[in-house]
Each structure stands twice: as C-alpha cells, then as structure tokens.
C-alpha cells in the first residue's frame, strides 16, 4: 500500500506561483511513476505531469514551460512548481503513483488550486 498526501494549494492571482507537495508513505519502492493530475468543475480528470523512477518527465502541452515536476527521494515527496498561473489552471490537483508491473494506481485526496483573473 502507498499513501499520498497533497498540500500547497490555495488562491492566487493570475501570473502568480504555487508549489504543490505530495508526501508518500508505505511501499514506495514498488512505484515506477509519480504524477500530477487535475480536475476542473464539470470536466474529466486530466494528466498534468509525470516523473518516472528513472527520471523521465512528461508534461501536458498547456503547462510546458510553466510547471515543473520534481522528486526528493530523501523526503519521499513529489513537487509540482507552478508558475505563470492562469485562470484555466483552476482545478483540484491530485497526486498519483503507479505500481511497477501491475500498473495499479494510488491517488491522494486532492488539493484545490484557484487562480483569479
């Protein structure tokens, strides 16, 4: 089992920055990829960024150049640095961890990010 706890969400003006954190505990060694997803009201949950256990990184096109995903192995924490935030970035952001081999996914409880115009 893996437990994920997000923090760092909040209200920010357009153009501002936030850093989300995802603290992981449990069977960390079983995880092959860590990611951030988001879900806006009335919309489906969508991929934002992912980082694998070997450091491969991918981003949703609309956040490239503005968001940065990183991982601190010493703290078992994954971060999402979000700069130049836009109102369309408003959503609940979820941390995700995918198990090696089975592909089973764990989710955090989510943290609200609201960007005002």
């Amino acid at each position: 089992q893996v437990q994920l706890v997000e923090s760092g969400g909040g209200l920010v003006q357009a153009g501002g920055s936030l850093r989300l954190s995802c603290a992981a505990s449990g069977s960390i060694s079983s995880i092959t990829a860590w990611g951030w997803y988001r879900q806006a009201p009335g919309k489906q949950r969508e991929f934002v960024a992912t980082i694998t256990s070997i450091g491969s990184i991918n981003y949703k096109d609309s956040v490239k150049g503005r968001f940065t995903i990183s991982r601190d192995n010493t703290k078992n924490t994954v971060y999402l640095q979000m700069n130049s935030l836009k109102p369309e970035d408003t959503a609940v952001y979820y941390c995700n961890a995918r198990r090696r081999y089975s592909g089973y996914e764990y989710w955090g409880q989510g943290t609200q990010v609201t960007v005002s115009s």
Side-chain angles (χ1 to χ4, degrees):
Q1 281 284 7
V2 173
Q3 294 77 42
L4 304 173
V5 179
E6 301 101 332
S7 61
L11 173 64
V12 64
Q13 289 188 333
S17 299
L18 284 173
R19 188 178 79 157
L20 305 183
S21 300
C22 173
S25 60
S27 302
I28 305 301
S29 61
S30 69
I31 301 303
T32 187
W34 305 85
W36 287 96
Y37 289 71
R38 66 188 183 188
Q39 187 167 18
K43 296 187 177 181
Q44 290 189 332
R45 191 172 299 188
E46 64 179 9
F47 163 79
V48 176
T50 188
I51 182 168
T52 70
S53 57
I54 59 172
S56 178
I57 292 175
N58 281 293
Y59 295 101
K60 177 182 175 61
D61 284 347
S62 63
V63 308
K64 286 180 180 177
R66 300 189 297 122
F67 291 9
T68 303
I69 189 171
S70 62
R71 182 183 172 197
D72 186 336
N73 292 332
T74 65
K75 297 181 179 179
N76 291 330
T77 300
V78 179
Y79 302 98
L80 185 68
Q81 177 66 43
M82 305 186 295
N83 298 328
S84 302
L85 282 161
K86 304 175 181 180
E88 52 263 44
D89 295 318
T90 295
V92 177
Y93 283 70
Y94 296 91
C95 182
N96 168 278
R98 188 171 73 245
R99 284 184 69 103
R100 188 174 293 108
Y101 307 124
S102 70
Y104 183 83
E105 295 182 311
Y106 299 93
W107 295 92
Q109 82 286 354
T111 186
Q112 176 71 46
V113 171
T114 303
V115 184
S116 63
S117 56

